[in-house]
Amino acid sequence: MTFKSSLTALAMPVIILGGILGGIVTPTEAASIAVAYALFIGVFVYRTLTFKSFYMMLVRTARIMGVIFVIIAFAGILGWWMSFERIPQLIAETVLGLSENRYTVIALIICLLLVVGMIMDITAILIILAPVLVPLTESVGLEPIHAGIIFVLALNISLMTPPVGACLFVLSSVTGEKIERISIKLLPFLAAEVAILFAFAFWEDAAMWLPRMLGYAH
């Protein structure tokens, strides 16, 4: 009975992932549709969403987003300062000048992205480091899509690493737990994601089978 009554709520992930993976909507549009769907089933299906509870949700959302925007703002300032001082470029030139071996260079790129991702915003990293790293990946024979997969996986991991992991602050705001406690609990998952990242980086067929199947790569 409980499962039957929760089917309408369980349909939300299907709507979100189905819409995105099916190419019907963008992630932003899927989020908007999910919010509208949640409001609909909360008001007309479960009848638990009242005007007062809706108002309290808006207040809580504003508080959470306020914290996130402050973090993003300071991360942007830090990224601007590091860009002005050319720190990422200097780090890249120093680290990547250590070897010309393909796999060593890939490992160094991953380590660089993971370390820089701990202290900079993802957008700033892409703007600053992409022009430096993309020609390097081409020089060691990485396909652009394969390099993009490595970049995206590495930068997604950086969203959950302190001290500037945006997802950590979201979790802290939502759950009320300290960032330090959340970071410790995330360590096994981060280790697994880093292992997958290195596996995809060094095992090209595993990373590229889907793009090749869809005709985006050869």
Side-chain angles (χ1 to χ4, degrees):
M1 186 65 183
T2 303
F3 176 75
K4 184 178 180 180
S5 63
S6 62
L7 282 177
T8 50
L10 292 174
M12 185 180 291
V14 178
I15 295 172
I16 296 173
L17 295 177
I20 296 173
L21 297 178
I24 302 172
V25 294
T26 65
T28 304
E29 293 168 345
S32 302
I33 293 172
V35 170
Y37 179 74
L39 290 175
F40 176 80
I41 63 174
V43 174
F44 298 105
V45 179
Y46 295 118
R47 302 179 186 275
T48 56
L49 184 61
T50 63
F51 179 79
K52 182 179 179 180
S53 61
F54 179 67
Y55 172 76
M56 294 306 298
M57 283 191 292
L58 292 179
V59 171
R60 189 182 182 194
T61 302
R63 289 174 178 171
I64 294 173
M65 293 305 298
V67 173
I68 297 171
F69 282 137
V70 169
I71 299 302
I72 293 175
F74 279 98
I77 295 172
L78 177 62
W80 174 86
W81 175 78
M82 294 184 71
S83 175
F84 182 78
E85 296 291 337
R86 298 190 72 255
I87 292 176
Q89 288 92 332
L90 293 174
I91 295 174
E93 292 170 3
T94 302
V95 173
L96 301 176
L98 298 176
S99 175
E100 294 182 357
N101 180 272
R102 170 190 172 95
Y103 297 105
T104 303
V105 170
I106 293 174
L108 290 173
I109 290 175
I110 292 173
C111 292
L112 176 64
L113 290 172
L114 292 176
V115 172
V116 176
M118 296 174 68
I119 55 177
M120 288 184 66
D121 180 63
I122 287 181
T123 304
I125 295 173
L126 289 175
I127 293 173
I128 297 169
L129 286 184
V132 178
L133 297 181
V134 170
L136 185 67
T137 59
E138 293 176 349
S139 68
V140 296
L142 276 181
E143 291 192 36
I145 294 178
H146 189 194
I149 292 172
I150 295 173
F151 289 175
V152 169
L153 288 176
L155 294 179
N156 276 337
I157 293 173
S158 72
L159 287 172
M160 296 174 286
T161 53
V164 193
C167 287
L168 292 178
F169 291 94
V170 174
L171 287 172
S172 179
S173 300
V174 172
T175 63
E177 289 284 353
K178 293 183 178 180
I179 292 177
E180 295 83 356
R181 181 177 173 82
I182 296 173
S183 300
I184 292 173
K185 294 296 183 180
L186 280 176
L187 284 177
F189 300 97
L190 290 175
E193 290 198 17
V194 171
I196 293 172
L197 169 60
F198 275 94
F200 276 7
F202 295 137
W203 187 11
E204 184 176 344
D205 290 338
M208 295 295 293
W209 75 269
L210 183 58
R212 286 170 179 165
M213 185 179 69
L214 297 176
Y216 291 107
H218 301 290

